[in-house]
Amino acid sequence: MLASGILFFLRPSRLPLPPVIATTGLDPAVARLITQAANDLRAAPRSATAWGALGLALLHYEFR
């Protein structure tokens, strides 16, 4: 029982992938901002700051 509990907490966790965001037709500056935020998130997928930056950029430009 104890061993199964230890294995549960030591197993590698799956990270959610950042969404694929279509930036065609957007202003080039907006597209760069969103693309950079997504790239930063892919570089550090466990970073709450990176997830927040992408979320704020998408919210600001009214992506749903």
Side-chain angles (χ1 to χ4, degrees):
M1 183 71 155
L2 179 61
S4 63
I6 292 171
L7 289 175
F8 176 78
F9 285 106
L10 294 179
R11 78 187 190 300
S13 62
R14 294 184 196 162
L15 295 173
L17 297 174
V20 176
I21 303 160
T23 57
T24 55
L26 294 177
D27 181 85
V30 173
R32 274 193 307 274
L33 176 79
I34 291 172
T35 302
Q36 184 60 48
N39 289 340
D40 291 345
L41 179 57
R42 285 185 191 93
R46 292 186 183 271
S47 169
T49 302
W51 278 101
L54 179 60
L56 285 174
L58 295 175
L59 183 65
H60 182 76
Y61 292 106
E62 299 180 358
F63 277 75
R64 303 276 179 224

